[in-house]
């Protein structure tokens, strides 16, 4: 019935598609930069500090724990950044949650599991408040969470001093003895395996001191388990579920997403809550391990989390990134920080290195973004 | 003649003391392409937003398949099978075609108590729907940002049709496109129409409208200047109606009749 329509050029297979070279296609994967960076960093330290004990079991455990700490907060920061928002209150939240645990358990005498529960509920509540304020006011999350960086830090110090006259509350280890929930954050797993390995002569035992006869590492700290679990769950959530698609959509273009029926506000508030959850996992592991809480814990952690995420290939503008990449970013971060120590390098140079790697990562990410969207 | 899918009768819309629409009537039947033409400020956007449920008309009636209806929200209009593809397309360049295609309506597969995205299905449907529109995707996981403007427009149209659009409102789909891209989009409109979908094609380009349109309605200063059927009207006449006659006649003289 319509000749004009039939006269239109018939679409053909290839000419409407631009070819992309395989190299560019590989570069477009967000984890690529971080994977390459991880390999470079490991090769570097194998050469520079290979004989320093950095790659002996104790050394691996050392940077493993540090990397795990970064990874835990990086997972929250990563999913939040992909959803298009920042949380600068992570560091203050770590100090705050720690003091809440110590205060409720040691000072007020409640069981540690209850104190941990209270800390999670309060922290996630504050995360929800962060998100609610960002959604309601339409202000950049940068500003809202910057306010909470100061509010929470100030409150933490105030509460600690006004209840105990000091900023460090000790005695958590004693209170946590035999507490099943505390063991989830501060214990170690595979103890039997490691003492068996030591008996087989596969790992060293202490030869002197009070621990003589025990293996030098007696298990995998729970903080590493938490990091692995959070990374795996975060990765599955982001790439394999409907909610993950909503996270990408909310950060990619919130107007387009809500026009397509994505509950953008709910997604963002939930990601703020996840960020607070991750900060509290970090705080709980630290408090149980150290046996104390201090009001100044977690300083600058928000930036370390964001740096890990950016090294991992996420875009600061949202809508693009990977949890695996963020975990690799955290690994690079941890290995370099501890590796420079093993290599005997002046530790202040670590920050120089960090600044440089951050800059390189952002430049690479910007290039990748242009390549994907075809902007100039 | 078949019953109209959507009918708007004497629609008026006032914003405060501004009269954006002063009695516009319009209808769309299954399988036809009805072009809504008008210059900037003629009221096209207000009118399509009324059809899409964004604006509530100040006066006038809306009928869906002959039944009088009041859209309370865009969701109501969507549920009635009226899909709008706006100029921004609701596409996210950094996300893959599949992820964009299914955004907000992702298919899931149960795995015990957990539900995961059903990528095999999502990818297969996306490829198939795009193939129906005449685009063979290299890979459904390529980012939408790598597609051309016309291809993106086609993804948006294919998505609307797949999710049950019976009336498809296209807001100036060709305005930002080059010649080839435009003909691709016009070909897509033709394919959609042949599936029995009513297409409302908004444009201010008479040639694009004449290429696919079955009926033409011109809006000028919030009023319709009548609806013409294909073959009864020439490009010049349409152009004249859009511009309101006289001024363009003078302009055309000075431009040598090329507008």
């Amino acid at each position: 019935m319509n000749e004009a329509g039939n006269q239109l050029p018939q679409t053909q297979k290839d000419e409407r598609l631009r070819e992309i070279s395989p190299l560019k296609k590989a570069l477009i994967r967000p984890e690529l930069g971080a994977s390459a960076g991880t390999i470079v960093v490991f090769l570097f330290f194998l050469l520079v500090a290979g004989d320093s004990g950095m790659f002996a079991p104790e050394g691996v455990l050392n940077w493993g724990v540090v990397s795990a700490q970064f990874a835990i907060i990086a997972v929250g920061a990563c999913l939040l950044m992909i959803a298009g928002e920042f949380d600068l209150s992570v560091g203050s939240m770590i100090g705050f949650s720690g003091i809440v645990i110590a205060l409720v358990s040691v000072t007020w005498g409640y069981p540690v599991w209850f104190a941990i529960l209270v800390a999670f509920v309060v922290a996630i509540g504050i995360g929800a408040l962060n998100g609610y304020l960002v959604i309601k006011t339409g202000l950049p999350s940068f500003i809202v969470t910057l306010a909470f960086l100061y509010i929470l830090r100030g409150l933490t110090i105030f509460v600690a001093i006004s209840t105990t006259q000091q900023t460090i509350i000790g005695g958590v280890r004693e209170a946590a003895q035999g507490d099943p929930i505390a063991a989830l954050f501060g214990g170690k797993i595979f103890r039997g395996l490691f003492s068996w390995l030591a008996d087989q002569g596969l790992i060293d035992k202490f030869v002197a001191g009070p621990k003589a006869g025990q293996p030098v590492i007696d298990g995998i700290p729970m903080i590493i388990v938490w990091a692995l679990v959070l990374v795996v769950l975060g990765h599955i959530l982001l790439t394999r579920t409907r909610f993950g698609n909503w996270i990408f959509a909310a950060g990619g273009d919130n107007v387009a997403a809500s026009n397509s029926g994505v509950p953008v506000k709910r997604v963002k508030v939930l990601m703020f809550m996840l960020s607070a959850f991750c900060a509290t996992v970090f705080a709980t592991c630290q408090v149980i391990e150290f046996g104390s809480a201090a009001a100044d814990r977690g300083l600058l952690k928000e930036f370390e989390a964001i740096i890990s995420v950016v090294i991992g290939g996420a875009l600061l503008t949202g809508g693009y990134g990977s949890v695996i990449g963020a975990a690799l970013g955290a690994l690079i971060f941890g290995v370099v920080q501890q590796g420079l120590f093993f290599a005997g390098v002046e530790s202040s140079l670590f920050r120089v290195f960090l600044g440089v790697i951050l800059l390189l990562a952002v430049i690479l990410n910007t290039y990748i973004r242009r390549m994907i969207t075809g902007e100039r | 003649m078949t019953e109209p899918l959507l009918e708007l009768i004497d629609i008026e819309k006032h914003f405060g003391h501004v009269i954006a629409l002063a009695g516009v009537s319009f209808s769309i039947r299954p399988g036809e392409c009805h072009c809504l033409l008008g210059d900037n400020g003629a009221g096209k956007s207000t009118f399509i937003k009324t059809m899409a449920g964004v604006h509530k008309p100040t006066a006038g009636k809306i009928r869906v398949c002959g039944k009088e209806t009041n859209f309370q929200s865009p969701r109501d209009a969507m549920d009635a099978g009226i899909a709008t593809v706006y100029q921004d397309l609701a596409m996210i360049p950094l996300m893959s075609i599949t992820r964009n295609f299914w955004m907000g309506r992702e298919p899931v597969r149960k795995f015990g108590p957990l539900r995961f995205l059903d990528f095999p299905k999502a990818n297969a449907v996306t490829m198939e729907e795009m193939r129906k529109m005449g685009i063979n995707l290299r890979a459904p996981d390529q980012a939408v940002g790598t597609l051309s403007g016309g291809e993106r427009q086609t993804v948006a149209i294919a998505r609307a049709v797949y999710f049950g659009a019976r009336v498809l409102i296209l807001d100036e789909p060709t305005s930002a496109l080059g010649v080839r891209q435009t003909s691709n989009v016009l070909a897509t409109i033709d394919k959609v129409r042949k599936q029995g979908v009513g297409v409302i094609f908004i444009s201010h380009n008479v040639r694009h409208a004449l290429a696919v349109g079955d009926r033409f309605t011109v809006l000028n200063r919030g009023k319709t200047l009548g609806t013409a059927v294909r073959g009864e009207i020439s490009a010049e006449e349409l152009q004249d109606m859009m511009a309101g006659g006289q001024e363009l006649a003078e302009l055309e003289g000075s431009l040598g009749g090329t507008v």
Side-chain angles (χ1 to χ4, degrees), chain B residues 26-233:
Chain B
F26 191 87
S27 68
I28 180 82
R29 300 192 191 89
E32 84 166 338
C33 175
H34 192 156
C35 298
L36 183 64
L37 294 147
D39 207 350
N40 294 339
K44 298 192 301 271
S45 291
T46 309
F47 190 57
I48 59 171
K49 281 185 176 158
T50 307
M51 288 192 261
V54 178
H55 294 324
K56 276 202 248 176
T58 312
K61 287 176 189 164
I62 299 177
R63 288 192 195 136
V64 177
C65 298
K67 233 180 75 187
E68 200 170 319
T69 314
N70 277 314
F71 296 138
Q72 297 300 320
S73 70
R75 184 54 66 184
D76 284 357
M78 276 187 235
D79 290 345
I82 298 163
T84 312
V85 176
Y86 291 106
Q87 276 170 296
D88 69 10
L89 301 180
M91 287 272 162
I92 299 179
L94 285 165
M95 285 165 67
S96 72
I97 298 166
T98 298
R99 283 180 177 274
N100 266 293
F101 191 94
W102 293 91
M103 184 164 60
R105 287 175 281 213
E106 298 83 355
V108 288
R109 204 166 37 172
K110 278 189 180 162
F111 196 80
L114 305 170
R115 282 184 295 172
F116 294 108
L117 275 187
D118 190 352
F119 272 113
K121 179 188 170 187
N123 285 337
V125 171
T126 307
M127 292 287 265
E128 172 62 16
E129 292 302 312
M130 291 303 287
R131 198 190 53 73
K132 278 190 206 160
M133 297 295 169
I135 293 187
N136 287 297
L137 294 176
R138 183 179 54 235
D141 60 352
Q142 75 185 96
V144 159
T146 61
L147 299 178
S148 68
E151 288 166 342
R152 283 186 217 193
Q153 190 72 243
T154 305
V155 177
I157 294 171
R159 175 171 67 180
V161 171
Y162 178 77
F163 288 108
R166 288 186 298 162
V167 174
L168 184 63
I169 305 171
L170 303 176
D171 185 11
E172 309 224 354
T174 56
S175 64
L177 302 179
V179 177
R180 255 193 80 73
Q181 301 283 343
T182 298
S183 52
N184 288 333
V185 170
L186 296 179
T188 304
I189 292 174
D190 187 46
K191 290 197 176 79
V192 171
R193 171 177 52 190
K194 283 178 179 151
Q195 291 178 31
V197 175
V199 179
I200 301 172
F201 176 22
I202 289 91
S203 182
H204 55 230
N205 188 313
V206 172
R207 293 199 307 120
H208 296 172
L210 281 169
V212 286
D214 298 306
R215 287 197 292 163
F216 308 89
T217 296
V218 177
L219 264 185
N220 192 334
R221 296 180 157 269
K223 287 182 182 157
T224 37
L225 301 173
T227 298
V229 180
R230 175 173 198 80
E232 285 180 0
I233 195 159

Side-chain angles (χ1 to χ4, degrees), chain A residues 99-113 115-116 171-172 175:
Chain A
I99 288 289
V100 168
I101 292 170
L103 204 62
V104 173
S105 63
V106 176
T107 312
W108 296 345
Y110 290 98
V112 172
W113 64 263
I116 293 173
V172 180

Side-chain angles (χ1 to χ4, degrees), chain A residues 4 11 16 18 240 242 245, chain B residues 106 117 134 138 146 151 211:
Chain A
T11 51
R16 292 175 70 176
R18 274 173 292 150
R240 295 278 143 211
R242 168 183 280 189
N245 207 35
Chain B
E106 298 83 355
L117 275 187
R138 183 179 54 235
T146 61
E151 288 166 342

Side-chain angles (χ1 to χ4, degrees), chain A residues 352-374:
Chain A
V352 176
F353 175 85
L354 198 62
V356 171
I357 203 172
L358 176 65
L359 210 51
L360 288 177
V362 174
I363 291 169
L364 178 69
N365 292 350
T366 310
Y367 170 71
I368 289 174
R369 184 205 168 92
R370 284 195 190 135
M371 211 151 69
I372 298 171
T373 58

